[in-house]
Amino acid sequence: VSQLPASSSMDERARTITYSEAIQIRNARFIDDNGDNIISRNEICKVIFELVNQSNRTLFDVQPIVVETTGNRHLYISPGMHIERLEPGKGIRYTAMIKADNRLKAGSVKICISAVEGNNQTISQVSEFNIATRK
């Protein structure tokens, strides 16, 4: 019988990440090509949201994050980007493209959006979309 380790490297990593109210996500929306709010095979969709610096200091190396958390291998999300600096009170609009391949099955997926600052040490609130899929 093997024993589980008392802790993992992820435990230590999770202790170093903090929540930040400095980065706010606004006006998050999911848009699909045919407007039925369902991801279909070979469809290209978008997740659009605004990132706003709510603090009184300049934020550096802000990275919008868009991930599919259910493990669906038939969805491809465009690579992220780095925002070099975000001045106090300013914001940007970010668009991530999501492409379904021709093997997508009926079901549902969860798309989560957030943003991290610096060396991924602070994270914004996380917003989620539960979206149906079909062949």
Side-chain angles (χ1 to χ4, degrees), residues 37-64:
N37 291 322
I38 298 171
I39 302 174
S40 302
R41 286 183 175 181
N42 296 314
E43 188 171 35
I44 297 176
C45 309
K46 298 175 191 171
V47 173
I48 303 169
F49 56 97
E50 297 168 5
L51 293 177
V52 179
N53 180 352
Q54 292 291 109
S55 73
N56 57 5
R57 65 179 177 87
T58 300
L59 303 178
F60 294 96
D61 193 23
V62 176
Q63 301 169 53

mmCIF file of all heavy atoms in Angstrom, residues 37-64:
data_model
loop_
_atom_site.group_PDB
_atom_site.id
_atom_site.type_symbol
_atom_site.label_atom_id
_atom_site.label_comp_id
_atom_site.label_asym_id
_atom_site.label_seq_id
_atom_site.Cartn_x
_atom_site.Cartn_y
_atom_site.Cartn_z
ATOM 1 N N ASN A 37 -26.485 30.568 -28.301
ATOM 2 C CA ASN A 37 -25.841 30.351 -26.998
ATOM 3 C C ASN A 37 -25.494 28.888 -26.730
ATOM 4 O O ASN A 37 -25.446 28.455 -25.586
ATOM 5 C CB ASN A 37 -26.675 30.920 -25.853
ATOM 6 C CG ASN A 37 -26.694 32.427 -25.893
ATOM 7 O OD1 ASN A 37 -25.690 33.065 -26.218
ATOM 8 N ND2 ASN A 37 -27.839 33.011 -25.591
ATOM 9 N N ILE A 38 -25.269 28.126 -27.787
ATOM 10 C CA ILE A 38 -24.838 26.735 -27.704
ATOM 11 C C ILE A 38 -23.618 26.591 -28.605
ATOM 12 O O ILE A 38 -23.616 27.088 -29.732
ATOM 13 C CB ILE A 38 -25.951 25.765 -28.161
ATOM 14 C CG1 ILE A 38 -27.169 25.893 -27.248
ATOM 15 C CG2 ILE A 38 -25.450 24.327 -28.201
ATOM 16 C CD1 ILE A 38 -28.385 25.134 -27.735
ATOM 17 N N ILE A 39 -22.584 25.915 -28.115
ATOM 18 C CA ILE A 39 -21.410 25.675 -28.950
ATOM 19 C C ILE A 39 -21.672 24.431 -29.792
ATOM 20 O O ILE A 39 -21.930 23.358 -29.261
ATOM 21 C CB ILE A 39 -20.147 25.475 -28.102
ATOM 22 C CG1 ILE A 39 -19.895 26.702 -27.213
ATOM 23 C CG2 ILE A 39 -18.942 25.222 -29.014
ATOM 24 C CD1 ILE A 39 -18.748 26.522 -26.241
ATOM 25 N N SER A 40 -21.625 24.591 -31.100
ATOM 26 C CA SER A 40 -21.855 23.488 -32.036
ATOM 27 C C SER A 40 -20.539 23.117 -32.713
ATOM 28 O O SER A 40 -19.572 23.878 -32.685
ATOM 29 C CB SER A 40 -22.865 23.902 -33.101
ATOM 30 O OG SER A 40 -24.082 24.287 -32.504
ATOM 31 N N ARG A 41 -20.523 21.949 -33.337
ATOM 32 C CA ARG A 41 -19.338 21.497 -34.062
ATOM 33 C C ARG A 41 -18.888 22.552 -35.079
ATOM 34 O O ARG A 41 -19.718 23.163 -35.759
ATOM 35 C CB ARG A 41 -19.617 20.188 -34.791
ATOM 36 C CG ARG A 41 -19.694 19.017 -33.852
ATOM 37 C CD ARG A 41 -19.901 17.727 -34.603
ATOM 38 N NE ARG A 41 -19.842 16.615 -33.655
ATOM 39 C CZ ARG A 41 -19.968 15.351 -33.998
ATOM 40 N NH1 ARG A 41 -20.162 15.019 -35.263
ATOM 41 N NH2 ARG A 41 -19.900 14.410 -33.088
ATOM 42 N N ASN A 42 -17.577 22.759 -35.153
ATOM 43 C CA ASN A 42 -16.934 23.679 -36.091
ATOM 44 C C ASN A 42 -17.344 25.142 -35.921
ATOM 45 O O ASN A 42 -17.082 25.954 -36.799
ATOM 46 C CB ASN A 42 -17.171 23.240 -37.544
ATOM 47 C CG ASN A 42 -16.545 21.901 -37.832
ATOM 48 O OD1 ASN A 42 -15.398 21.657 -37.473
ATOM 49 N ND2 ASN A 42 -17.304 21.014 -38.445
ATOM 50 N N GLU A 43 -17.960 25.458 -34.815
ATOM 51 C CA GLU A 43 -18.380 26.841 -34.583
ATOM 52 C C GLU A 43 -17.254 27.635 -33.915
ATOM 53 O O GLU A 43 -16.508 27.108 -33.096
ATOM 54 C CB GLU A 43 -19.632 26.864 -33.691
ATOM 55 C CG GLU A 43 -20.241 28.234 -33.554
ATOM 56 C CD GLU A 43 -21.589 28.197 -32.849
ATOM 57 O OE1 GLU A 43 -21.782 27.368 -31.940
ATOM 58 O OE2 GLU A 43 -22.444 29.018 -33.212
ATOM 59 N N ILE A 44 -17.163 28.894 -34.273
ATOM 60 C CA ILE A 44 -16.221 29.806 -33.640
ATOM 61 C C ILE A 44 -17.017 30.737 -32.726
ATOM 62 O O ILE A 44 -18.005 31.337 -33.144
ATOM 63 C CB ILE A 44 -15.429 30.618 -34.673
ATOM 64 C CG1 ILE A 44 -14.584 29.674 -35.527
ATOM 65 C CG2 ILE A 44 -14.555 31.666 -33.983
ATOM 66 C CD1 ILE A 44 -13.841 30.347 -36.647
ATOM 67 N N CYS A 45 -16.593 30.814 -31.474
ATOM 68 C CA CYS A 45 -17.282 31.625 -30.470
ATOM 69 C C CYS A 45 -16.285 32.610 -29.863
ATOM 70 O O CYS A 45 -15.084 32.494 -30.054
ATOM 71 C CB CYS A 45 -17.839 30.730 -29.367
ATOM 72 S SG CYS A 45 -18.829 29.351 -29.973
ATOM 73 N N LYS A 46 -16.820 33.558 -29.100
ATOM 74 C CA LYS A 46 -15.979 34.550 -28.438
ATOM 75 C C LYS A 46 -16.412 34.698 -26.988
ATOM 76 O O LYS A 46 -17.598 34.616 -26.676
ATOM 77 C CB LYS A 46 -16.130 35.919 -29.107
ATOM 78 C CG LYS A 46 -15.705 35.984 -30.529
ATOM 79 C CD LYS A 46 -16.023 37.355 -31.088
ATOM 80 C CE LYS A 46 -15.856 37.352 -32.589
ATOM 81 N NZ LYS A 46 -16.356 38.582 -33.179
ATOM 82 N N VAL A 47 -15.436 34.929 -26.134
ATOM 83 C CA VAL A 47 -15.688 35.381 -24.775
ATOM 84 C C VAL A 47 -15.054 36.767 -24.698
ATOM 85 O O VAL A 47 -13.869 36.932 -24.961
ATOM 86 C CB VAL A 47 -15.062 34.438 -23.724
ATOM 87 C CG1 VAL A 47 -15.189 35.024 -22.338
ATOM 88 C CG2 VAL A 47 -15.726 33.072 -23.787
ATOM 89 N N ILE A 48 -15.880 37.753 -24.385
ATOM 90 C CA ILE A 48 -15.418 39.144 -24.356
ATOM 91 C C ILE A 48 -15.636 39.686 -22.951
ATOM 92 O O ILE A 48 -16.697 39.474 -22.349
ATOM 93 C CB ILE A 48 -16.207 40.005 -25.370
ATOM 94 C CG1 ILE A 48 -16.075 39.412 -26.773
ATOM 95 C CG2 ILE A 48 -15.748 41.459 -25.328
ATOM 96 C CD1 ILE A 48 -17.013 40.023 -27.793
ATOM 97 N N PHE A 49 -14.620 40.376 -22.430
ATOM 98 C CA PHE A 49 -14.775 41.010 -21.119
ATOM 99 C C PHE A 49 -13.812 42.180 -20.998
ATOM 100 O O PHE A 49 -12.868 42.314 -21.783
ATOM 101 C CB PHE A 49 -14.580 40.009 -19.978
ATOM 102 C CG PHE A 49 -13.278 39.263 -19.972
ATOM 103 C CD1 PHE A 49 -12.212 39.688 -19.186
ATOM 104 C CD2 PHE A 49 -13.115 38.119 -20.733
ATOM 105 C CE1 PHE A 49 -11.018 38.989 -19.166
ATOM 106 C CE2 PHE A 49 -11.927 37.412 -20.720
ATOM 107 C CZ PHE A 49 -10.871 37.843 -19.930
ATOM 108 N N GLU A 50 -14.085 43.032 -20.033
ATOM 109 C CA GLU A 50 -13.232 44.174 -19.768
ATOM 110 C C GLU A 50 -12.473 43.940 -18.475
ATOM 111 O O GLU A 50 -13.023 43.397 -17.519
ATOM 112 C CB GLU A 50 -14.074 45.443 -19.643
ATOM 113 C CG GLU A 50 -14.807 45.793 -20.918
ATOM 114 C CD GLU A 50 -15.854 46.868 -20.729
ATOM 115 O OE1 GLU A 50 -15.964 47.436 -19.620
ATOM 116 O OE2 GLU A 50 -16.586 47.148 -21.701
ATOM 117 N N LEU A 51 -11.204 44.343 -18.473
ATOM 118 C CA LEU A 51 -10.384 44.321 -17.264
ATOM 119 C C LEU A 51 -10.137 45.767 -16.875
ATOM 120 O O LEU A 51 -9.657 46.557 -17.685
ATOM 121 C CB LEU A 51 -9.042 43.637 -17.517
ATOM 122 C CG LEU A 51 -9.070 42.154 -17.806
ATOM 123 C CD1 LEU A 51 -7.667 41.658 -18.111
ATOM 124 C CD2 LEU A 51 -9.650 41.399 -16.639
ATOM 125 N N VAL A 52 -10.473 46.111 -15.637
ATOM 126 C CA VAL A 52 -10.334 47.485 -15.168
ATOM 127 C C VAL A 52 -9.461 47.504 -13.919
ATOM 128 O O VAL A 52 -9.641 46.690 -13.012
ATOM 129 C CB VAL A 52 -11.724 48.106 -14.860
ATOM 130 C CG1 VAL A 52 -11.577 49.524 -14.350
ATOM 131 C CG2 VAL A 52 -12.608 48.053 -16.090
ATOM 132 N N ASN A 53 -8.542 48.448 -13.881
ATOM 133 C CA ASN A 53 -7.689 48.643 -12.714
ATOM 134 C C ASN A 53 -8.456 49.506 -11.711
ATOM 135 O O ASN A 53 -8.610 50.699 -11.902
ATOM 136 C CB ASN A 53 -6.376 49.318 -13.121
ATOM 137 C CG ASN A 53 -5.445 49.542 -11.944
ATOM 138 O OD1 ASN A 53 -5.804 49.335 -10.794
ATOM 139 N ND2 ASN A 53 -4.242 49.980 -12.253
ATOM 140 N N GLN A 54 -8.923 48.901 -10.638
ATOM 141 C CA GLN A 54 -9.704 49.583 -9.606
ATOM 142 C C GLN A 54 -8.829 50.212 -8.525
ATOM 143 O O GLN A 54 -9.343 50.859 -7.627
ATOM 144 C CB GLN A 54 -10.656 48.585 -8.936
ATOM 145 C CG GLN A 54 -11.763 48.093 -9.830
ATOM 146 C CD GLN A 54 -12.741 49.198 -10.128
ATOM 147 O OE1 GLN A 54 -12.792 49.696 -11.238
ATOM 148 N NE2 GLN A 54 -13.509 49.605 -9.148
ATOM 149 N N SER A 55 -7.526 50.013 -8.599
ATOM 150 C CA SER A 55 -6.637 50.493 -7.549
ATOM 151 C C SER A 55 -6.135 51.895 -7.877
ATOM 152 O O SER A 55 -6.424 52.445 -8.940
ATOM 153 C CB SER A 55 -5.458 49.539 -7.375
ATOM 154 O OG SER A 55 -4.567 49.667 -8.471
ATOM 155 N N ASN A 56 -5.327 52.436 -6.980
ATOM 156 C CA ASN A 56 -4.722 53.749 -7.212
ATOM 157 C C ASN A 56 -3.247 53.615 -7.601
ATOM 158 O O ASN A 56 -2.502 54.570 -7.530
ATOM 159 C CB ASN A 56 -4.883 54.654 -5.979
ATOM 160 C CG ASN A 56 -4.283 54.017 -4.741
ATOM 161 O OD1 ASN A 56 -3.667 52.958 -4.803
ATOM 162 N ND2 ASN A 56 -4.464 54.664 -3.604
ATOM 163 N N ARG A 57 -2.847 52.418 -8.007
ATOM 164 C CA ARG A 57 -1.467 52.185 -8.443
ATOM 165 C C ARG A 57 -1.478 51.531 -9.821
ATOM 166 O O ARG A 57 -2.460 50.909 -10.222
ATOM 167 C CB ARG A 57 -0.723 51.290 -7.447
ATOM 168 C CG ARG A 57 -1.280 49.884 -7.355
ATOM 169 C CD ARG A 57 -0.491 49.009 -6.367
ATOM 170 N NE ARG A 57 -1.112 47.704 -6.260
ATOM 171 C CZ ARG A 57 -0.846 46.678 -7.071
ATOM 172 N NH1 ARG A 57 0.021 46.802 -8.050
ATOM 173 N NH2 ARG A 57 -1.447 45.505 -6.892
ATOM 174 N N THR A 58 -0.402 51.689 -10.549
ATOM 175 C CA THR A 58 -0.269 51.060 -11.857
ATOM 176 C C THR A 58 -0.032 49.567 -11.672
ATOM 177 O O THR A 58 0.771 49.163 -10.831
ATOM 178 C CB THR A 58 0.911 51.683 -12.631
ATOM 179 O OG1 THR A 58 0.663 53.076 -12.794
ATOM 180 C CG2 THR A 58 1.069 51.038 -13.999
ATOM 181 N N LEU A 59 -0.753 48.759 -12.443
ATOM 182 C CA LEU A 59 -0.570 47.306 -12.414
ATOM 183 C C LEU A 59 0.347 46.910 -13.570
ATOM 184 O O LEU A 59 0.214 47.438 -14.676
ATOM 185 C CB LEU A 59 -1.911 46.595 -12.547
ATOM 186 C CG LEU A 59 -2.975 46.942 -11.511
ATOM 187 C CD1 LEU A 59 -4.267 46.198 -11.815
ATOM 188 C CD2 LEU A 59 -2.490 46.625 -10.113
ATOM 189 N N PHE A 60 1.252 45.973 -13.317
ATOM 190 C CA PHE A 60 2.191 45.540 -14.332
ATOM 191 C C PHE A 60 1.992 44.069 -14.658
ATOM 192 O O PHE A 60 1.682 43.273 -13.786
ATOM 193 C CB PHE A 60 3.638 45.772 -13.853
ATOM 194 C CG PHE A 60 3.970 47.223 -13.702
ATOM 195 C CD1 PHE A 60 3.867 47.844 -12.471
ATOM 196 C CD2 PHE A 60 4.369 47.970 -14.803
ATOM 197 C CE1 PHE A 60 4.160 49.186 -12.335
ATOM 198 C CE2 PHE A 60 4.663 49.314 -14.679
ATOM 199 C CZ PHE A 60 4.556 49.932 -13.436
ATOM 200 N N ASP A 61 2.196 43.728 -15.936
ATOM 201 C CA ASP A 61 2.111 42.353 -16.431
ATOM 202 C C ASP A 61 0.781 41.700 -16.042
ATOM 203 O O ASP A 61 0.741 40.674 -15.372
ATOM 204 C CB ASP A 61 3.281 41.514 -15.943
ATOM 205 C CG ASP A 61 3.380 40.187 -16.680
ATOM 206 O OD1 ASP A 61 2.868 40.096 -17.813
ATOM 207 O OD2 ASP A 61 3.942 39.234 -16.119
ATOM 208 N N VAL A 62 -0.310 42.303 -16.500
ATOM 209 C CA VAL A 62 -1.646 41.750 -16.270
ATOM 210 C C VAL A 62 -1.945 40.768 -17.407
ATOM 211 O O VAL A 62 -1.724 41.069 -18.574
ATOM 212 C CB VAL A 62 -2.706 42.871 -16.219
ATOM 213 C CG1 VAL A 62 -4.105 42.298 -16.076
ATOM 214 C CG2 VAL A 62 -2.394 43.835 -15.085
ATOM 215 N N GLN A 63 -2.435 39.574 -17.034
ATOM 216 C CA GLN A 63 -2.707 38.539 -18.026
ATOM 217 C C GLN A 63 -4.150 38.058 -17.909
ATOM 218 O O GLN A 63 -4.511 37.472 -16.893
ATOM 219 C CB GLN A 63 -1.777 37.348 -17.806
ATOM 220 C CG GLN A 63 -0.321 37.686 -17.898
ATOM 221 C CD GLN A 63 0.517 36.528 -17.416
ATOM 222 O OE1 GLN A 63 0.361 35.403 -17.882
ATOM 223 N NE2 GLN A 63 1.402 36.796 -16.468
ATOM 224 N N PRO A 64 -4.983 38.322 -18.924
ATOM 225 C CA PRO A 64 -6.318 37.739 -18.924
ATOM 226 C C PRO A 64 -6.213 36.219 -19.095
ATOM 227 O O PRO A 64 -5.387 35.733 -19.861
ATOM 228 C CB PRO A 64 -7.002 38.361 -20.142
ATOM 229 C CG PRO A 64 -6.072 39.412 -20.637
ATOM 230 C CD PRO A 64 -4.726 39.145 -20.080
#
